[in-house]
Amino acid sequence: AAIAAGDRETGVSLMVMDEGIDTGAVISTARAPIAAEDTAETLGQRLAALGAAQLVRDMPRWAAGALPPQTQGDDEATLTRPLTKADGWIDWSRRAGDLERHVRAMWPWPRAWTTVDDTLLQVHQAAVVDAAAAPGNVIPDRRRLLVGTGDGVLELLEVEPAGRRAMSATAYLNGRRAPLERLGASGDPGPLPPLVVKAPRQGAGERQD
């Protein structure tokens, strides 16, 4: 969610467990920058290492009474729902920059995806290109897979067609018999609930502060 939102940093909190989920008082926090190339996988690995070091450093201090827990502020708490396969859908009406972050945020699951002639096409890597085309329309190019968005163009660098292995976009284009004209003409899962919403003051759910 942090990558998809374009946040520059995220972090880890140690907290005291209570009857809720992620609602306990906070023992300590640690910040981590989000790199321009981060995926949910690479960022998650760094956060895991950060949290482990934080646990070793701060738990003895908490046990000794040197780190009194601080109550979380309900007014700023948010809830992040679990991802579903539908969350990976690429809405070509969005800005190219938003979609580039979307591809990274959805890796390694549920993975960003669109459709080609009613078949699934996963997008593993992408980059923003300074050009223009109608959303979902493919700019004719034998070597590059350039797709129009609501603002700008997204170049698909690595893709995985249904039933095949991951490959470069160039290899994918070379393997097609017919020219590729449009992506995402079918398969739209429809409106999805927001990924992050304001958390209720009490109740279960994943919470981030």
Side-chain angles (χ1 to χ4, degrees):
I3 292 174
D7 294 346
R8 294 186 177 182
E9 67 175 11
T10 184
V12 177
S13 294
L14 300 182
M15 64 184 66
V16 179
M17 292 182 64
D18 61 8
E19 67 277 7
I21 299 179
D22 294 349
T23 59
V26 176
I27 297 170
S28 69
T29 61
R31 297 175 180 268
I34 300 177
E37 68 277 7
D38 263 330
T39 65
E41 181 177 44
T42 60
L43 182 57
Q45 291 170 347
R46 290 211 314 279
L47 290 174
L50 179 66
Q54 183 182 358
L55 184 67
V56 172
R57 181 192 68 222
D58 292 343
M59 284 302 291
R61 298 172 60 200
W62 169 73
L67 279 179
Q70 302 296 314
T71 301
Q72 296 191 50
D74 285 336
D75 292 339
E76 298 181 357
T78 56
L79 180 149
T80 304
R81 63 172 174 78
L83 289 172
T84 68
K85 183 65 177 179
D87 286 305
W89 169 255
I90 298 176
D91 178 357
W92 295 108
S93 68
R94 298 175 60 192
R95 296 174 61 252
D98 294 340
L99 292 179
E100 188 276 333
R101 292 197 306 271
H102 175 76
V103 171
R104 292 187 287 113
M106 295 297 111
W107 184 267
W109 195 90
R111 301 188 181 184
W113 59 277
T114 185
T115 53
V116 178
D117 304 327
D118 296 327
T119 62
L120 182 72
L121 180 70
Q122 293 182 5
V123 180
H124 293 193
Q125 294 182 33
V128 177
V129 174
D130 185 14
N137 283 5
V138 177
I139 298 176
D141 193 306
R142 291 185 177 182
R143 297 183 177 181
R144 304 172 69 188
L145 183 43
L146 306 170
V147 189
T149 73
D151 183 5
V153 165
L154 192 70
E155 179 176 5
L156 309 190
L157 302 174
E158 183 178 344
V159 298
E160 184 176 337
R164 300 172 65 185
R165 60 176 177 82
M167 63 186 70
S168 69
T170 301
Y172 173 68
L173 291 172
N174 288 339
R176 285 185 56 85
R177 295 181 179 179
L180 188 58
E181 298 180 352
R182 180 170 173 79
L183 300 183
S186 62
D188 186 347
L192 296 171
L195 185 58
V196 179
V197 297
K198 186 175 177 57
R201 286 184 173 273
Q202 293 183 350
E206 295 291 335
R207 295 180 58 174
Q208 299 176 342
D209 294 277

